[in-house]
Amino acid sequence: MNDNSFVIRALLSDIVLRGSSSRSRISRHYGIRPATLTAVVERLKRRGLLLEPERQGRHSGRRASPLCLNPQAGSFYGLELTPKCVYALSIDASGEEKGRLCLPLRPGASSKTICGLLLKALQGLRRSASTQCLLGFADPGTIDLKSGRSKQAVNLPAWENVPLLEFFKINAGDDKPLLAPETLVRTYAEYLHCAPDFPETLFHAHFDEGIGAGFLSKGELLIGERCASMELGHLVLTPGGRRCRCGNRGCLEAMAGAAAIRQMMQELVASGVATQMNMQEFSLAEFVRQANANDRAAEVLAQETCERIAPVMAMITTLLNPHTILISGELAGLGKILLESIRRAIRQRCLNSRHEEIIIKISALDEYAGARTAALLRRNLFLEDSLGLRSETVPSLAAGLG
């Protein structure tokens, strides 16, 4: 194997996915000659990108020394904008977290106010104004990657046609920030969390204020034209149904999103169904808590909501045949109710599906997963750019983004 770009990419891919690797593992796994690998490793060590702390020389006679990224190779920042707040997190080049913060978002905030909040979060993490700011941003809507604009965020109406690329170039000093929809970023976060047993295919659905999804195959995200794939919440299931905030009727989000659940809870209470919930301070988190505590109205609506979600997941299973399905967001807190509804729908609706082999589970990631992974993806993009790598042979380090 004489193609050094392949060797470098294979080496870095293994390290960024697993945290560390070894010469023997990479040589064996990718079929790379030890001499070729040694030359590449020594080159990256001289560039200050790799460390091999336990190796004293080329032939130490000891067990395989770990290869890892040099923490001092750079600092990277991740921001995730949601309808409720901004999550911000910083890492060094090895992926170790250096700081985090969360800033609440005022309802009805303008795009100008939101941009100010993003800068405030970024400044809160930066150690000095002179430090280069390499940034990954998880956006709540759809992004036109060609123009670098956030086109529309249904659950954050003021966030429309925002020139993100220009904004971050001017205010963060990053000429090539990583911009991506938050659900795609979180899908990659779920994939990384599967280490070391990475699934060939993974589908991730996020049920919260809005509904979104992502699909990943062999380490690459399905991006689609203009990065607008997997708008799961805006599949029209019942034409002429409830009005969705996107303007259509009968979308999944109009049947199982936060606004829809709030409205249906109010209708149930008005019809005389008992509840302990304070409808003036409704939240999805409280709805889930009450449903799990056997509150009558919340329990009834939780079951109905799961039965609306489940057929869509069966449809996705038929179309994509994923090895693993992961569910995140506040509604994932329904746990067993939701998982059983999905498994039943797949069993009943999917032709020739080996449903018992599909792994379906609730996400174990925290609320900072989007910001953390945005930073990691920007780190990976930095590595690709620094070494002039191309992605014809081995999957992109940035999962097809950037």
Side-chain angles (χ1 to χ4, degrees):
M1 188 70 67
N2 296 318
D3 185 352
N4 278 359
S5 66
F6 171 85
V7 177
I8 294 170
R9 184 176 290 279
L11 167 64
L12 293 178
S13 292
D14 214 63
I15 292 173
V16 299
L17 286 175
R18 300 171 183 276
S20 66
S21 191
S22 67
R23 298 189 191 212
S24 58
R25 176 191 147 71
I26 293 165
S27 181
R28 182 177 64 254
H29 186 73
Y30 294 98
I32 299 169
R33 292 175 57 246
T36 302
L37 181 60
T38 293
V40 168
V41 168
E42 295 304 322
R43 173 188 164 193
L44 296 184
K45 286 163 68 173
R46 289 193 298 271
R47 289 280 300 268
L49 296 175
L50 279 190
L51 292 179
E52 200 173 18
E54 294 180 13
R55 190 178 180 93
Q56 302 301 317
R58 288 182 180 240
H59 304 286
S60 65
R62 301 168 62 187
R63 65 180 178 82
S65 301
L67 284 166
C68 56
L69 290 169
N70 184 353
Q72 297 181 0
S75 296
F76 305 89
Y77 302 84
L79 297 175
E80 181 183 15
L81 174 61
T82 76
K84 296 178 182 178
C85 59
V86 172
Y87 293 105
L89 188 142
S90 63
I91 61 171
D92 62 25
S94 73
E96 182 179 348
E97 183 179 322
K98 309 306 290 185
R100 63 166 64 184
L101 58 85
C102 174
L103 298 178
L105 184 61
R106 177 174 53 82
S110 67
S111 60
K112 183 178 180 180
T113 299
I114 295 171
C115 285
L117 199 64
L118 292 174
L119 285 183
K120 183 179 180 181
L122 197 54
Q123 290 164 357
L125 290 176
R126 295 179 70 179
R127 295 182 178 180
S128 69
S130 61
T131 304
Q132 184 182 18
C133 183
L134 299 179
L135 174 72
F137 179 67
D139 188 89
T142 56
I143 293 179
D144 182 346
L145 292 181
K146 293 181 180 179
S147 66
R149 286 179 173 268
S150 178
K151 301 300 290 182
Q152 181 186 24
V154 171
N155 295 293
L156 198 57
W159 196 248
E160 183 176 4
N161 203 28
V162 180
L164 292 175
L165 180 59
E166 180 183 357
F167 173 75
F168 286 126
K169 276 185 177 181
I170 294 172
N171 294 284
D174 189 352
D175 289 335
K176 197 175 181 180
L178 183 131
L179 310 174
E182 62 171 333
T183 47
L184 290 187
V185 173
R186 283 183 167 269
T187 298
Y188 194 64
E190 298 292 352
Y191 179 70
L192 293 177
H193 193 67
C194 291
D197 300 315
F198 297 105
E200 283 279 305
T201 52
L202 181 149
F203 180 78
H204 162 237
H206 188 71
F207 297 97
D208 210 287
E209 288 292 319
I211 297 173
F215 178 69
L216 187 144
S217 177
K218 297 181 179 179
E220 292 272 342
L221 288 162
L222 176 61
I223 305 296
E225 181 67 17
R226 294 182 181 271
C227 211
S229 65
M230 293 293 153
E231 284 288 342
L232 187 69
H234 301 292
L235 284 175
V236 175
L237 303 177
T238 55
R242 290 177 181 268
R243 174 76 69 178
C244 180
R245 285 185 281 190
C246 74
N248 282 335
R249 288 185 176 275
C251 296
L252 176 61
E253 197 165 298
M255 302 162 61
I261 292 173
R262 183 184 299 109
Q263 182 180 346
M264 288 184 278
M265 272 294 293
Q266 291 170 340
E267 292 168 0
L268 277 175
V269 172
S271 70
V273 181
T275 183
Q276 297 295 315
M277 289 190 66
N278 180 353
M279 294 308 299
Q280 299 302 314
E281 298 180 4
F282 176 90
S283 70
L284 269 186
E286 179 62 13
F287 166 73
V288 169
R289 191 183 73 80
Q290 291 290 351
N292 289 330
N294 300 317
D295 177 89
R296 179 57 180 161
E299 191 176 24
V300 167
L301 186 52
Q303 188 63 58
E304 290 179 358
T305 300
C306 291
E307 293 301 325
R308 295 186 183 103
I309 289 171
V312 178
M313 301 304 291
M315 184 191 311
I316 292 294
T317 301
T318 297
L319 291 172
L320 298 177
N321 188 29
H323 172 277
T324 300
I325 297 174
L326 278 154
I327 311 295
S328 67
E330 291 287 3
L331 282 185
L334 293 174
K336 185 178 180 181
I337 303 173
L338 181 56
L339 293 179
E340 287 184 349
S341 296
I342 293 172
R343 290 191 179 107
R344 183 166 57 251
I346 291 174
R347 186 170 60 250
Q348 295 173 349
R349 294 169 180 257
C350 294
L351 179 65
N352 296 327
S353 174
R354 302 177 72 175
H355 55 83
E356 70 279 359
E357 296 181 3
I358 300 173
I359 297 172
I360 309 172
K361 57 185 180 180
I362 301 299
S363 171
L365 298 180
D366 67 12
E367 64 271 25
Y368 284 90
R372 181 184 302 109
T373 306
L376 287 170
L377 286 166
R378 183 62 184 94
R379 186 272 312 271
N380 296 353
L381 190 61
F382 161 78
L383 292 171
E384 287 189 331
D385 290 345
S386 298
L387 297 166
L389 299 178
R390 297 292 181 265
S391 58
E392 292 89 355
T393 319
V394 180
S396 162
L397 299 182
L401 295 169

